[in-house]
Amino acid sequence: MALDLSARAYRAQRWAARTALAAAGLAVLVPLAYGGVGGVLLLVAGVAGLGLSAVAVWWTLTLRGPLRWAAATVAVAVPAALVALFAATLFWALLASVALWTVAVWSGRYALRGTGSARVRVMRERKAAPPRRAVLIMNPRSGDGKVERFALKEKAERLGAQVVLLDPDEHQDVTALARKAVADGADLLGVAGGDGTQALVAAVAAAYDIPFLVISAGTRNHFAMDLGLDRDDPAACLDALTDGVELRVDLGFANGRPFVNNASFGAYAAIVQSPGYRTDKIGTSLELLPDLLTRQQGPRLTARAAGTTLDAPHAVLVSNNPYRTDDPFGLGRRDRLDAAVLGVLGIRVDSAAEAAALLLDPAPDGLTILTATEVIIEADRAEIEAGMDGEALVLPTPVHCRITPGALRVRVPRKRPGVPQRAPRLDWRRLRKLAATVGRTAAVHRRGPFS
């Protein structure tokens, strides 16, 4: 029976691959056949329109005055005109094409799901006994008052934890508070607050090798999201105090300062330093970007990682484990936090043509994506702006970014939403092989000379 089920599974994969290839081909051919020569010309116009839109966006960001508004008008009008043109001439064909492409994507991912082509190792859970003396630091201002709205202090105290409530009117050193808690006997530290505060206390927990509890009471809490926690119900995170498991995750550092998500350098980091950014993000960005993108202001950076040198990038993002880059629905997420590598994303765009290439070229020269265990950020000045887990800082150069594998013991609830698994990438070459093979050879061998 097992062999029969296995054979059925392979046949299903093979026919799903054939369906995906056929549907993808029809998705392209239907609008072209429906529109004839006009369909081909519309396709060319669409590609040209995308390039023009990218150029217009570049001019919008780098110019000022009337020229900026003219470019912004083009950036909005061209895509709108293309949508209207395609809808008026190829409406039914486009609907059919979208439906066929949906079938192609679903079938292709179904076919590849069992081949191991996008297998992601899940972070290992370890059993954890409830803490005897948990100390939780809570910021009442985080997330527009989530601590009070979700009664986090009251629930934590009912579960036996000691709560240190930060004074919103006074600056307090959370690192010092965390160290004092450990000195007084705490065997678990936790934070209800933003990612920047999480990182500071996490570093103390890692230094003393005691568990760390994340309570998703910040505005975004990307770290909590990648741990699989419920960001809509911060109180559910407290279940880890009585029914929890432990995950061993990595911790990033930039010049000795910890980060749980990322450290950014370049244009974005310079913008967030502006006093007006908090109250007017768009206005401040539009005011500063022309000088930053044309290199009239800001440092000239050089980033070195994994034998690669990024010369004069406009922005560099160094993340604690790499973000997804091949899944548009998973951007901003990390599949793992224990891969022991930093993610590195560098962008350099010096002209309107390079801006268009970023959109149209599958592998643009201005975009660098890699992983490394260490990243060195150098500059033509003694200090540079940095954004670390949402906090604006100034760091001395060179900035040495590193990762400490498995440094942090994170306590999470045993029952939690979890991290959505990445769907297999549509590898058309693999699908063609899968569709053409017979029997078990349709599957990817995990061992042997043909793997």
Side-chain angles (χ1 to χ4, degrees):
M1 178 63 71
L3 290 175
D4 182 56
L5 289 175
S6 179
R8 288 183 183 179
Y10 291 140
R11 283 198 297 271
Q13 285 179 252
R14 190 165 66 252
W15 281 105
R18 292 171 179 173
T19 301
L21 293 172
L26 289 172
V28 175
L29 291 175
V30 165
L32 294 179
Y34 183 86
V37 176
V40 177
L41 293 177
L42 282 174
L43 181 62
V44 173
V47 173
L50 287 176
L52 179 58
S53 298
V55 169
V57 169
W58 169 259
W59 286 336
T60 301
L61 297 177
T62 56
L63 299 176
R64 288 190 172 92
L67 291 177
R68 163 178 278 178
W69 295 112
T73 301
V74 173
V76 174
V78 170
L82 286 174
V83 170
L85 181 61
F86 274 76
T89 56
L90 299 173
F91 182 70
W92 293 110
L94 283 179
L95 289 181
S97 180
V98 170
L100 286 165
W101 185 251
T102 302
V103 171
V105 171
W106 187 90
S107 299
R109 287 180 170 171
Y110 175 83
L112 295 171
R113 191 170 290 124
T115 67
S117 60
R119 204 171 293 277
V120 177
R121 183 171 70 83
V122 178
M123 289 184 288
R124 180 184 173 188
E125 295 181 357
R126 298 170 177 83
K127 293 182 180 180
R132 295 185 301 274
R133 185 171 183 181
V135 177
L136 309 180
I137 299 173
M138 297 189 179
N139 185 351
R141 282 187 173 176
S142 287
D144 294 325
K146 286 184 179 179
V147 170
E148 181 178 351
R149 282 192 284 121
F150 288 90
L152 299 180
K153 179 177 183 294
E154 292 74 14
K155 180 177 180 179
E157 291 176 338
R158 286 197 303 270
L159 294 174
Q162 176 187 342
V163 175
V164 177
L165 202 62
L166 298 179
D167 186 344
D169 297 321
E170 181 181 345
H171 173 73
Q172 293 172 278
D173 187 339
V174 293
T175 299
L177 291 174
R179 287 175 177 162
K180 182 178 185 303
V182 175
D184 292 340
D187 61 351
L188 179 145
L189 292 175
V191 174
D195 288 320
T197 306
Q198 300 275 359
L200 294 175
V201 180
V204 177
Y208 289 95
D209 195 31
I210 63 174
F212 177 66
L213 176 62
V214 177
I215 306 170
S216 55
T219 303
R220 296 181 181 86
N221 280 126
H222 289 287
F223 188 48
M225 175 179 67
D226 294 331
L227 288 169
L229 299 175
D230 190 343
R231 295 192 297 170
D232 296 324
D233 183 10
C237 300
L238 293 170
D239 293 341
L241 292 171
T242 55
D243 186 20
V245 293
E246 275 190 16
L247 306 173
R248 273 279 185 183
V249 304
D250 308 329
L251 196 58
F253 290 88
N255 279 7
R257 186 180 175 94
F259 59 90
V260 293
N261 290 325
N262 57 60
S264 62
F265 308 91
Y268 172 74
I271 289 172
V272 298
Q273 299 285 334
S274 174
Y277 179 75
R278 296 297 179 186
T279 56
D280 185 11
K281 291 181 173 60
I282 295 178
T284 302
S285 299
L286 290 176
E287 176 62 28
L288 297 179
L289 276 173
D291 291 338
L292 292 171
L293 294 180
T294 57
R295 305 188 188 280
Q296 297 179 53
Q297 288 186 5
R300 182 182 178 89
L301 303 179
T302 301
R304 307 183 193 279
T308 300
T309 299
L310 283 67
D311 183 38
H314 283 97
V316 178
L317 181 75
V318 180
S319 58
N320 174 19
N321 284 259
Y323 289 105
R324 295 181 185 177
T325 57
D326 59 354
D327 179 5
F329 299 103
L331 292 177
R333 289 184 178 273
R334 292 165 288 181
D335 290 313
R336 292 171 54 185
L337 293 170
D338 61 346
V341 290
L342 299 166
V344 183
L345 175 66
I347 298 178
R348 174 173 176 168
V349 186
D350 286 315
S351 67
E354 292 180 3
L358 275 180
L359 184 63
L360 300 177
D361 190 340
D365 293 335
L367 180 64
T368 301
I369 301 174
L370 51 87
T371 59
T373 56
E374 292 184 328
V375 181
I376 306 297
I377 309 292
E378 299 172 339
D380 58 354
R381 56 184 62 179
E383 294 181 329
I384 57 172
E385 298 89 351
M388 294 184 61
D389 288 340
E391 303 292 332
L393 303 171
V394 177
L395 299 177
T397 56
V399 180
H400 181 200
C401 301
R402 60 181 176 86
I403 193 161
T404 305
L408 186 61
R409 299 166 54 191
V410 180
R411 184 73 56 89
V412 296
R414 184 172 56 85
K415 296 181 180 179
R416 60 194 188 281
V419 179
Q421 291 300 302
R422 180 195 309 190
R425 183 174 62 89
L426 284 179
D427 187 332
W428 296 105
R429 182 179 179 183
R430 189 182 293 276
L431 281 173
R432 288 196 301 271
K433 291 183 178 180
L434 186 58
T437 51
V438 178
R440 291 192 186 186
T441 55
V444 173
H445 297 284
R446 290 181 175 82
R447 296 182 297 273
F450 300 103
S451 59

